[in-house]
Amino acid sequence: MRAIFSTILLSSLGSTVLWLLLVPSFSAQTQSDGLVGLLGMERQVLGVVGALLVGVWADRGLIGRKFALLQGAQLVLAVLFLVMTWWGTAGPEFVLVWTALRFALVGASSVLAYRLLADVSGSNARGAVLQMVTSPQGAMVFAAVICAAVPAWTSHTLVVALLFDIVTAVLVIALLMARQEEGEGEFGFEWRNVLGRGVDAVRSYWLPELWPWNLIQIVFLVSLSGMMVYASVIAEAQDLVPTGMAFSGAWFFYGLAFWVTAPLLRDHERAGRWALVFAGVLTACGVAGVLAGHGAFPVHMALYVVLTFVNAYWIHFTNARVLEPAPAARIGQIRASMIFYLGLVFGVGEQLVGLLLELRSGLLLLGLAHVAGGILLAGSLLVIRTRTRRTLVPAG
């Protein structure tokens, strides 16, 4: 299990370093918050497309070999981008197309990573927590440190990111191919029924066994979307540290939050109480954001850090609650469907928040959204807790 954990984390580290250094480079190239939001939306939406394509494929075994195949495709894309950068022909249009392809593969890899971790840990819920820790989000705690250091010694940050992505892809492929995979399975992808399998994965999210946590997760996703653009706007507006270092530093706390909050899921009952606490913190952050106003960027920097912990815990909590009762034969499809809804809501949210924050009242409206989301989440938990207690009380 430790070897699989490390291999998946290394894979995520390559794509995460690339993303954190790509965004400031793209922002400087285009000088547009709207296009940065579009890049974020594209990353999220195409990531879910990749996840849906492999949902059924992941449930048919030979996960290690399939993961290695996707790493090979990522390696080819990284080499292509590096060559185009050296030739000076990697314009905004190329970056947008390349990002779509690259993060479609990242989304597909995340489903396979979950299946690997769920199998070796013996638990759907535990596999979900481990997968988020080793995901690109969890890898940010290490990637942010790397990305903050790179601009200090070279101005060719994007070239460094692509070289790092190439090296990690080669290492991951070598580790996966050296591992002996047990069990049988089907390796063929079966392109003829891709659309039907994607539709099946989308529907899997609404299986009766997953109710009501699937709906609660949607509420959470809506209330905390747009974090990438929020961090980008704060990094550009503040004058305490260079913009690139501030943006990478913001994602350090985002990744750290996944590692710090993961142990809080060990006890089932306490996990519910912690979820209620974090819902209250979300509401308080929204109130503080409204009161801080548009120009108080140091306050918003602090709020962003706190919100990363709220976001990380609720991703862990709802993922575990949704996947815990999931049928074993369909957990790959269900995980793909969860990534679909997460990426769809977060992706559209990045674009909407990017446009919203171009308005002078944008930070005020974002704070009000956090207040509403915190209240809805806390209310949902209290209703579930009350109904559960009534069910457990014996008659008479």
Side-chain angles (χ1 to χ4, degrees):
M1 178 174 172
R2 185 176 300 176
I4 292 295
F5 183 92
S6 301
T7 302
I8 293 172
L9 181 60
L10 181 63
S11 171
S12 298
L13 190 60
S15 62
T16 307
V17 168
L18 176 66
W19 174 248
L20 292 183
L21 293 177
L22 174 64
V23 172
S25 175
F26 186 75
S27 178
Q29 182 183 26
T30 61
Q31 297 294 318
S32 170
D33 289 337
L35 283 178
V36 173
L38 176 61
L39 190 74
M41 181 181 72
E42 191 177 64
R43 170 178 173 257
Q44 295 286 354
V45 172
L46 270 297
V48 305
V49 170
L52 291 177
L53 289 177
V54 302
V56 175
W57 198 45
D59 287 331
R60 293 181 176 176
L62 301 177
I63 309 301
R65 296 183 189 178
K66 294 172 181 176
F67 199 100
L69 177 64
L70 296 186
Q71 288 294 305
Q74 293 178 11
L75 175 61
V76 171
L77 284 177
V79 172
L80 174 63
F81 198 170
L82 185 61
V83 171
M84 296 290 286
T85 300
W86 279 337
W87 286 348
T89 55
E93 297 83 1
F94 172 82
V95 174
L96 288 170
V97 173
W98 185 91
T99 300
L101 296 174
R102 178 66 172 86
F103 287 95
L105 292 173
V106 171
S109 297
S110 65
V111 176
L112 297 175
Y114 169 69
R115 276 305 312 242
L116 277 172
L117 289 167
D119 290 344
V120 298
S121 67
S123 166
N124 290 355
R126 189 181 181 193
V129 175
L130 292 174
Q131 194 266 327
M132 290 308 304
V133 170
T134 57
S135 69
Q137 291 90 342
M140 284 175 186
V141 67
F142 307 106
V145 175
I146 297 172
C147 294
V150 168
W153 59 273
T154 180
S155 60
H156 302 290
T157 55
L158 186 57
V159 172
V160 172
L162 290 167
L163 290 173
F164 188 85
D165 193 33
I166 290 170
V167 171
T168 54
V170 171
L171 289 175
V172 169
I173 292 171
L175 290 170
L176 288 170
M177 297 307 294
R179 171 179 175 264
Q180 291 186 352
E181 193 162 25
E182 298 179 357
E184 299 179 354
E186 300 177 13
F187 191 80
F189 189 74
E190 298 180 3
W191 289 96
R192 291 175 296 179
N193 195 29
V194 168
L195 182 60
R197 286 183 293 166
V199 171
D200 288 341
V202 171
R203 292 174 178 172
S204 297
Y205 189 77
W206 302 106
L207 289 174
E209 299 96 313
L210 312 183
W211 181 265
W213 295 106
N214 45 11
L215 182 60
I216 292 175
Q217 186 174 68
I218 293 293
V219 174
F220 148 67
L221 296 176
V222 171
S223 64
L224 266 175
S225 60
M227 291 289 285
M228 187 276 288
V229 178
Y230 187 39
S232 178
V233 169
I234 294 172
E236 292 177 3
Q238 57 81 42
D239 54 5
L240 299 176
V241 295
T243 299
M245 293 180 66
F247 184 76
S248 298
W251 289 110
F252 168 80
F253 290 103
Y254 195 83
L256 178 65
F258 279 97
W259 290 78
V260 171
T261 57
L264 302 178
L265 276 292
R266 290 177 179 174
D267 185 275
H268 190 277
E269 293 298 326
R270 290 181 181 178
R273 290 195 289 269
W274 276 112
L276 188 60
V277 169
F278 280 107
V281 172
L282 174 59
T283 304
C285 286
V287 173
V290 170
L291 296 177
H294 180 77
F297 286 102
V299 175
H300 284 286
M301 290 175 69
L303 289 177
Y304 171 84
V305 172
V306 176
L307 286 171
T308 59
F309 286 85
V310 176
N311 196 21
Y313 184 81
W314 266 88
I315 287 178
H316 280 319
F317 179 71
T318 54
N319 281 353
R321 286 294 195 269
V322 171
L323 287 166
E324 191 174 17
R330 299 187 64 177
I331 59 172
Q333 299 169 63
I334 293 171
R335 183 62 184 139
S337 72
M338 294 170 68
I339 295 173
F340 168 77
Y341 289 101
L342 184 148
L344 181 64
V345 175
F346 270 24
V348 174
E350 298 287 11
Q351 178 69 93
L352 293 179
V353 171
L355 297 174
L356 181 68
L357 293 181
E358 290 184 344
L359 305 175
R360 184 164 183 82
S361 59
L363 288 172
L364 171 65
L365 297 174
L366 188 62
L368 291 175
H370 290 158
V371 172
I375 292 172
L376 284 173
L377 291 174
S380 300
L381 290 175
L382 291 174
V383 169
I384 291 174
R385 179 182 295 181
T386 301
R387 290 182 176 178
T388 302
R389 287 177 176 175
R390 289 175 179 175
T391 303
L392 294 177
V393 173

